[in-house]
Amino acid sequence: MGIMETLQLLIIGDDEKARRVIDRIQDDGYEVDAKVVDDSSNLEVILNGQIFDIALYIDKPDQYPTHKFYEWFLPYIVIPQAFDLEDYRNSQTMAAIGYVPLDELERLSPLIKNVVTIRDTMRRRVRKREERFETILNNIPVGLFRSTTDGRMLSANTALLEIFAANNFEEIKGINLKDLYTLSTQRTEFVEELVSSGKVIDYVVDLKRLDGRTFWGSLSATAVYDSNDDIEYIDGVLEDITERKLIEEELRKSQAKLLDFYAAVPDVLYRADMQSNTYEYLSENIVDLLGYPYEEVIKDFHKFLVKVLNPDDYERIYSMTKEFFGRGPTDENLEVEGRMTRADGEVIWVRDSFRYEWVDGERRTVTGILSDITKQVKLTEQLSEMVIELGAKNTELERFTYTVSHDLRSPLIAIKGFAGVLREDATNGDHEKLLDDITYIENAAEKMDDLINDLLQLSRIGRIVGQPTTVSTLDVVRSIVSEMSLQIEAKGIEININEKLPELFADHGRINELFRNLIHNAIKFSDKEDSPYIEIGYQKSYNVITFYVKDNGIGIAPKYQNKIFGVFEKLSATSEGSGLGLAIAKKIVEVYGGKIWVESKGAGEGATFYFTYPHNSIRDALEGEYDV
Amino acid sequence: MMYNHNKKTILLVEDNQAHAELVRRVMSSQSSTADIRHISDGEAALDYLFGRGEFTSPESNPRPDIILLDLRMPKIDGIEVLKEIKESAELRQIPVIVLSTSDAESDVSSAYKNHANSYLVKPLDFDRFSRLMENLLSYWLLWNTPL
């Protein structure tokens, strides 16, 4: 048996009798700590301040304050001066554990022994329970503590000590909790919240461990009040959420990164729930793409698409989409392209590449990318136009080489042929024919020279670019007409020039050559018999200017109208010229990005040659004019 | 083999005056029996063959025994003329000899595809030109006269 604990006695009675009782108990071998009061008037104060094992009520049977003992779970023994039956019965009624008159004090010993045994048993049980409870508390992986509002730690479980990297409770007991906060304001806020509402839930704080490392804690606490309704202490839970915070932070960062990527993509990314038709994500640059406010677009994107999508494309895309998801779950994307009308009326080409997420055979979400492919579409169109154009140019080039070799060989055959004929005639002494032969040779040589000159000129058009200047087409036409006045007068042609012929910003030499070839052509095919007439004028629409040279000459049958601009194409075997004039005119017009064509109702009906000049060149000319 | 001394009519369709004159001169120096009719474009050639326009009189415009045809001509080119001749039941038996400055593969094949009887490239060399005309006349007029 271990050391017996001191017996805490509360004795109500006079000192002399109390002494006798104490002596008696001490004689029985108990260590005694006794509080002696001679009346029961302020027992409450005493009982509040100290825990007793047993109360002894000496010689005061009329004043039993028994209810107090009940309340305090304090066993008591009544010790009267002498045995009195009625008094004994009263004591029984009032649950005294014993009735021992002063002259029978030897009976006290077994009673006290019982009380002590019960007390010790109870204490052992309580301790066991406490130990078990403590183990539970210490095994709980979250920190539990009790502290005061001014920062003293009253108690803490193992987990809390571990959180703060304390080896034992003593280490943390001496520290003011305020000093464990990285930010003192957080401690102030925590206490203020407790004072005002009595509790704090999941308050995230930045704390320091005893070794100085910081960590994130989540703090929940309840205030416990004393009888004056002041906070006596705080019971709380502390969780180390550093890891959680780090993971959250990582997640937040990677989400932010992802959102940055989304925002950096020039295309529109979207993801929508198929059931509710609501958007989980829709890039803000949908606003740039279509020019409508974000709110209007996101409200019901599908309805919105129907609104902006070209109706023809809608039908096509709708059936493609239906066919696509009709095939059932797949990882493939569907790519569709169509025209959309922006808020400002501009029509753009958009590609939508999207896929469905399938759950239980149903489409759950749709994820896709809208891209503005207007540039690509236009480039592709331009490219195919260029390919066609290039093909035409190539064919033209082939024809050109063919024609050139053929037409150059032609006068050579004549020259060599007539040289041979000439030799025979000379040998035969046929002198009359000699001059004839020589003329044929000369004509052929001259024709070849013309051909070569015109070919040189034609090849220069594309290559040699004169400095563009402001060219008055009126002046150009007037000077050509005056140069050709001899031929014009000889044929009696009436010339009519529009006095308002505009200015162009172009190479003067080329514009001159262009009009020269057209006017020369008109003069050549004018017939003196039909009161010939040539008109030079222009028409203007908003983006092109169209010049024309009109005559009432021999005209051109419709089937030849396409051929006449080709190299060496002549409609008359007898007409003079190399057949390159209109080819040169065509090439000049094409260099400026214009078109040239002829209109004629047929042979004898006259002809009008038109050519266009793109508007921007005219505007350049006008701007040039204003600058001067 | 008997020589046929009857006068033969040769229709020369050629837009180049110098070439036409050259052919005429070379041929007449080789055969006095050849009557060379020169036509300078394809349209007129068809008019002659079908007896249209200014060529309605069969006496002054006899049916040719042989046609010498240039390819590159104004209005209607040689290939068109060749096609019309070979599509005509009355004319398709007349031998058509294409006489061209071009030795381009496309021209040769297009001529033979349209049933030209021969394709000759005008030689630069005068002696060869003469020889060609001589061979042409003897082969097509003497040896290959349709029965």
Side-chain angles (χ1 to χ4, degrees):
Chain A
M1 196 165 171
I3 299 155
M4 198 167 291
E5 279 180 55
T6 307
L7 195 62
Q8 304 287 337
L9 293 182
L10 173 61
I11 302 174
I12 301 108
D14 63 50
D15 282 351
E16 189 266 318
K17 285 170 186 160
R19 190 71 258 160
R20 275 176 61 190
V21 172
I22 291 167
D23 287 347
R24 176 77 220 180
I25 295 170
Q26 282 175 332
D27 288 349
D28 285 342
Y30 294 98
E31 201 151 314
V32 173
D33 185 0
K35 173 85 180 171
V36 181
V37 293
D38 60 358
D39 67 59
S40 58
S41 55
N42 53 358
L43 267 184
E44 200 172 326
V45 178
I46 294 161
L47 286 167
N48 263 332
Q50 199 178 341
I51 294 166
F52 297 96
D53 293 321
I54 190 165
L56 302 172
Y57 223 95
I58 304 174
D59 203 22
K60 293 275 172 49
D62 54 328
Q63 289 172 33
Y64 297 150
T66 47
H67 60 287
K68 290 295 174 195
F69 295 136
Y70 274 122
E71 244 175 63
W72 294 102
F73 300 103
L74 184 59
Y76 74 99
I77 298 165
V78 177
I79 304 173
Q81 191 62 40
F83 184 84
D84 175 85
L85 185 62
E86 198 184 345
D87 187 29
Y88 169 73
R89 282 185 182 146
N90 270 341
S91 76
Q92 295 291 301
T93 312
M94 301 310 281
I97 64 162
Y99 189 81
V100 182
L102 266 173
D103 50 359
E104 291 174 47
L105 277 180
E106 69 279 359
R107 279 180 46 217
L108 206 52
S109 183
L111 284 176
I112 286 186
K113 196 183 169 193
N114 274 347
V115 168
V116 168
T117 309
I118 290 168
R119 181 200 70 181
D120 291 347
T121 310
M122 293 301 285
R123 279 193 184 162
R124 269 202 302 281
R125 280 186 191 170
V126 167
R127 197 170 300 124
K128 245 185 202 162
R129 208 171 290 165
E130 275 179 352
E131 277 169 7
R132 206 188 311 159
F133 194 60
E134 224 166 77
T135 312
I136 292 171
L137 287 187
N138 286 332
N139 286 342
I140 286 177
V142 292
L144 303 175
F145 66 91
R146 174 169 292 177
S147 71
T148 60
T149 50
D150 60 3
R152 269 182 306 121
M153 186 67 90
L154 299 176
S155 60
N157 71 347
T158 314
L160 190 108
L161 299 180
E162 280 168 2
I163 288 173
F164 281 105
N167 295 315
N168 51 54
F169 182 66
E170 301 306 316
E171 281 185 8
I172 212 161
K173 202 172 128 190
I175 293 172
N176 191 315
L177 296 179
K178 283 175 201 160
D179 299 333
L180 294 174
Y181 283 77
T182 307
L183 303 164
S184 60
T185 49
Q186 285 192 331
R187 169 73 190 177
T188 317
E189 274 171 24
F190 169 65
V191 174
E192 274 170 3
E193 181 64 25
L194 267 175
V195 170
S196 67
S197 70
K199 64 182 179 195
V200 171
I201 292 165
D202 209 14
Y203 182 58
V204 176
V205 286
D206 198 358
L207 298 172
K208 281 183 279 190
R209 304 187 208 278
L210 295 188
D211 57 16
R213 286 179 296 143
T214 55
F215 68 99
W216 288 99
S218 170
L219 204 51
S220 296
T222 315
V224 180
Y225 298 92
D226 63 15
S227 51
N228 296 326
D229 272 352
D230 291 326
I231 296 177
E232 195 181 351
Y233 49 81
I234 302 160
D235 279 338
V237 178
L238 175 69
E239 217 179 327
D240 185 346
I241 57 164
T242 310
E243 207 168 313
R244 198 178 83 197
K245 278 293 259 194
L246 284 176
I247 291 168
E248 279 176 3
E249 182 68 9
E250 276 308 307
L251 203 66
R252 200 192 55 76
K253 270 188 195 162
S254 76
Q255 267 176 345
K257 213 188 292 176
L258 218 57
L259 286 176
D260 272 356
F261 278 132
Y262 290 174
V265 171
D267 302 324
V268 175
L269 310 181
Y270 67 86
R271 182 178 167 88
D273 185 279
M274 295 296 293
Q275 259 83 43
S276 58
N277 190 28
T278 51
Y279 280 79
E280 291 171 20
Y281 185 85
L282 178 64
S283 303
E284 279 176 27
N285 50 17
I286 185 81
V287 177
D288 301 332
L289 185 73
L290 296 172
Y292 287 94
Y294 191 75
E295 297 69 33
E296 189 183 339
V297 182
I298 203 166
K299 206 162 45 186
D300 189 333
F301 193 39
H302 269 116
K303 258 189 196 157
F304 185 79
L305 277 185
V306 176
K307 176 180 161 186
V308 296
L309 197 58
N310 180 301
D312 296 343
D313 294 339
Y314 178 79
E315 283 303 319
R316 179 172 50 82
I317 290 169
Y318 180 77
S319 60
M320 279 175 81
T321 307
K322 221 172 141 185
E323 197 269 333
F324 176 63
F325 70 71
R327 280 186 268 148
T330 172
D331 281 341
E332 283 167 28
N333 277 24
L334 177 65
E335 242 178 46
V336 293
E337 291 173 2
R339 285 157 292 178
M340 289 187 185
T341 309
R342 283 172 47 89
D344 59 14
E346 190 196 340
V347 174
I348 55 169
W349 275 92
V350 174
R351 174 192 297 136
D352 188 3
S353 175
F354 64 93
R355 56 160 56 204
Y356 295 111
E357 180 195 1
W358 293 79
V359 176
D360 299 333
E362 294 279 325
R363 288 171 301 152
R364 176 70 58 86
T365 63
V366 57
T367 308
I369 303 176
L370 296 175
S371 319
D372 184 348
I373 54 162
T374 314
K375 268 188 200 164
Q376 283 133 275
V377 169
K378 289 209 170 135
L379 272 175
T380 313
E381 279 171 4
Q382 275 174 11
L383 203 66
S384 50
E385 273 170 24
M386 276 168 71
V387 167
I388 292 168
E389 204 177 307
L390 212 63
K393 290 259 181 241
N394 216 24
T395 314
E396 193 183 314
L397 197 70
E398 274 170 24
R399 269 176 49 80
F400 180 80
T401 351
Y402 164 81
T403 314
V404 166
S405 59
H406 181 274
D407 280 48
L408 282 176
R409 187 181 281 166
S410 186
L412 270 180
I413 291 168
I415 289 167
K416 286 216 83 175
F418 277 98
V421 171
L422 178 70
R423 182 159 20 89
E424 281 191 353
D425 287 346
T427 313
N428 299 340
D430 199 346
H431 295 287
E432 286 158 41
K433 283 183 176 171
L434 292 183
L435 278 179
D436 236 16
D437 300 340
I438 291 169
T439 308
Y440 273 112
I441 292 172
E442 279 171 350
N443 284 347
E446 211 164 278
K447 184 155 189 186
M448 195 151 182
D449 187 46
D450 283 352
L451 267 174
I452 289 168
N453 282 337
D454 278 356
L455 279 173
L456 277 175
Q457 201 188 348
L458 187 67
S459 76
R460 278 198 200 105
I461 293 165
R463 285 187 291 117
I464 298 170
V465 186
Q467 194 63 38
T469 53
T470 306
V471 182
S472 161
T473 53
L474 182 62
D475 291 349
V476 166
V477 168
R478 276 178 171 161
S479 79
I480 292 166
V481 167
S482 107
E483 277 172 39
M484 297 180 177
S485 56
L486 276 178
Q487 293 160 266
I488 291 166
E489 278 164 25
K491 284 194 168 182
I493 303 169
E494 185 194 334
I495 302 272
N496 190 331
I497 303 169
N498 185 330
E499 299 290 322
K500 289 176 182 163
L501 281 175
E503 287 184 339
L504 303 177
F505 191 65
D507 177 356
H508 184 276
R510 283 180 178 171
I511 298 298
N512 186 61
E513 187 62 32
L514 173 56
F515 276 105
R516 177 184 302 277
N517 278 310
L518 293 179
I519 293 167
H520 182 252
N521 193 65
I523 293 170
K524 197 162 74 182
F525 295 107
S526 285
D527 196 338
K528 199 176 177 181
E529 308 297 303
D530 298 329
S531 44
Y533 165 91
I534 295 173
E535 183 187 330
I536 300 124
Y538 77 106
Q539 298 152 359
K540 197 172 173 180
S541 71
Y542 85 104
N543 62 354
V544 288
I545 192 159
T546 308
F547 292 92
Y548 63 85
V549 176
K550 185 177 186 173
D551 66 61
N552 60 346
I554 62 166
I556 302 145
K559 57 178 170 176
Y560 304 128
Q561 287 176 8
N562 285 331
K563 292 181 73 184
I564 55 169
F565 295 102
V567 174
F568 302 118
E569 291 289 356
K570 287 189 292 178
L571 296 186
S572 159
T574 50
S575 70
E576 77 269 39
S578 61
L580 279 171
L582 289 176
I584 289 169
K586 180 175 185 244
K587 193 149 184 197
I588 292 172
V589 169
E590 284 174 351
V591 162
Y592 284 109
K595 281 198 176 101
I596 190 165
W597 72 96
V598 66
E599 286 174 13
S600 173
K601 282 177 185 153
E605 297 286 333
T608 308
F609 284 82
Y610 294 92
F611 72 89
T612 61
Y613 198 84
H615 186 253
N616 57 342
S617 317
I618 298 162
R619 195 173 49 213
D620 289 349
L622 290 176
E623 277 165 6
E625 197 183 359
Y626 293 145
D627 283 346
V628 171
Chain B
M1 195 62 66
M2 289 282 290
Y3 264 58
N4 187 340
H5 288 287
N6 289 339
K7 225 173 169 62
K8 298 288 180 180
T9 303
I10 297 170
L11 183 65
L12 172 62
V13 187
E14 170 65 79
D15 69 320
N16 188 309
Q17 297 301 318
H19 288 191
E21 178 62 15
L22 193 60
V23 170
R24 210 181 56 72
R25 294 271 288 269
V26 170
M27 281 190 170
S28 50
S29 73
Q30 290 166 347
S31 162
S32 53
T33 58
D35 171 18
I36 299 167
R37 302 290 176 116
H38 174 219
I39 300 279
S40 59
D41 71 62
E43 202 169 25
L46 289 174
D47 283 351
Y48 180 99
L49 289 165
F50 287 101
R52 297 184 299 226
E54 52 178 297
F55 305 103
T56 42
S57 153
E59 287 77 34
S60 48
N61 304 293
R63 176 185 161 104
D65 295 293
I66 185 169
I67 299 168
L68 296 183
L69 182 63
D70 188 18
L71 283 187
R72 284 182 46 84
M73 287 185 299
K75 294 187 187 175
I76 295 176
D77 70 17
I79 295 294
E80 273 304 313
V81 174
L82 177 62
K83 243 184 232 173
E84 293 224 17
I85 292 169
K86 293 301 176 184
E87 274 166 13
S88 157
E90 299 147 46
L91 300 175
R92 68 162 62 105
Q93 288 176 338
I94 304 173
V96 178
I97 292 99
V98 171
L99 193 57
S100 171
T101 48
S102 164
D103 57 357
E105 177 73 31
S106 59
D107 283 333
V108 178
S109 67
S110 138
Y112 280 120
K113 213 177 278 172
N114 287 290
H115 315 291
N117 298 74
S118 185
Y119 187 102
L120 304 174
V121 179
K122 297 172 189 165
L124 264 180
D125 186 82
F126 176 72
D127 292 334
R128 284 184 57 208
F129 198 98
S130 295
R131 247 186 342 268
L132 183 74
M133 290 301 126
E134 198 183 339
N135 293 342
L136 191 153
L137 285 173
S138 55
Y139 180 79
W140 289 105
L141 292 182
L142 300 177
W143 301 102
N144 200 39
T145 303
L147 294 168

